[in-house]
Amino acid sequence: MKLFADTANLNKIREVAELGVLDGVTTNPSLMAKEGIKGAEEIKRRYIDICNLVDGDVSAEVFATDFEGMIREGKILSSLHENIVVKIPCTKDGIRAVKYFYDNGVRTNCTLVFSAGQALLAAKAGATYLSPFVGRLDDISGDGIELIAQIAEIYDKYDYETEVLAASVRHTMHIVQCMDAGADVATCPPELILALLNHPLTDSGLARFTTDAQKMT
Ligand code: G3P
């Protein structure tokens, strides 16, 4: 399973990228706003900076909600760097835009997905990635991981090439459950990727090895 960092923060991306295990980055308007980015030029600059930090796909989301606006913004975003994937909401206009970009050789990430029916339309339109939101489904007493498993099985059964990119990942168990459920990618807050390393037996074991190693020097 590929691991993407779900952030627009350059320091956090750099910290995870240094591990050598980062496969890409996803952003959304909320994550961009959180960084205090303002105006079209700063937005473009940030995407280019992110692309220069990570050797993998970087999702850049359109702000427009109408078809023409999504196409206009998506063309600008995809021209910024070859690793940019245009992120488009799973709406009527969004599915049209995904299909338009598929026909024109531009890769897309269809986002804000909460059902297998939406996943079907996105795959048929030719989305490169599909982003079901695990945590937000759990928030309303749904089962985000079950949705990942259901979509992964359907895509497998029908040989759809769209990759299942689990989003809205909230804790490390979600990451492990995404692997079990057959997600192609999990996009996670960077601190969760680092938290995968945490284990008290690793810490105590290392402390003992270090003490014993010192006896031999
Ligand atoms: O990738 C989507 C993600 O950023 C949303 O996460 O925690 O706001 O539901 P959250």
Side-chain angles (χ1 to χ4, degrees):
M1 185 177 75
K2 285 181 271 188
L3 270 182
F4 286 7
D6 196 25
T7 182
N9 183 286
L10 298 178
N11 288 332
K12 288 183 179 177
I13 294 169
R14 194 176 292 113
E15 188 181 3
V16 182
E18 275 170 4
L19 291 179
V21 299
L22 189 62
D23 301 300
V25 170
T26 54
T27 62
N28 61 37
S30 305
L31 292 170
M32 293 290 277
K34 200 169 148 193
E35 297 305 312
I37 299 163
K38 278 234 156 54
E41 289 315 307
E42 265 191 53
I43 291 170
K44 286 190 224 168
R45 182 72 253 161
R46 180 56 59 106
Y47 287 135
I48 292 167
D49 287 345
I50 294 174
C51 288
N52 288 335
L53 277 181
V54 60
D55 185 19
D57 288 343
V58 173
S59 288
E61 188 158 346
V62 295
F63 294 177
T65 54
D66 64 299
F67 175 74
E68 284 77 16
M70 288 181 192
I71 301 305
R72 196 169 47 245
E73 283 181 30
K75 282 180 178 172
I76 295 170
L77 292 171
S78 64
S79 72
L80 295 175
H81 193 282
E82 61 182 1
N83 288 352
I84 293 275
V85 175
V86 181
K87 202 170 175 188
I88 298 174
C90 192
T91 59
K92 196 170 155 193
D93 283 29
I95 292 296
R96 274 184 71 201
V98 167
K99 178 72 169 93
Y100 173 90
F101 283 124
Y102 177 77
D103 290 341
N104 287 277
V106 173
R107 295 178 308 137
T108 56
N109 174 354
C110 190
T111 189
L112 286 168
V113 169
F114 295 92
S115 75
Q118 290 175 315
L120 170 66
L121 294 182
K124 287 179 73 69
T128 312
Y129 295 104
L130 179 91
S131 291
F133 277 33
V134 174
R136 290 195 196 180
L137 259 186
D138 289 1
D139 286 343
I140 57 159
S141 307
D143 190 334
I145 295 297
E146 194 177 296
L147 179 65
I148 297 293
Q150 184 187 26
I151 296 170
E153 193 184 327
I154 291 168
Y155 279 5
D156 194 42
K157 194 184 288 180
Y158 288 91
D159 281 334
Y160 284 125
E161 285 177 10
T162 303
E163 292 191 49
V164 180
L165 189 165
S168 185
V169 166
R170 300 276 177 76
H171 47 74
T172 50
M173 268 312 288
H174 266 161
I175 302 176
V176 174
Q177 288 167 333
C178 283
M179 277 197 291
D180 268 345
D184 298 291
V185 189
T187 188
C188 320
E191 42 287 356
L192 286 194
I193 297 176
L194 297 170
L196 288 171
L197 288 167
N198 295 346
H199 201 289
L201 289 178
T202 303
D203 296 341
S204 59
L206 184 61
R208 197 183 311 166
F209 286 160
T210 304
T211 308
D212 290 340
Q214 278 162 0
K215 292 177 193 163
M216 293 182 278
T217 57

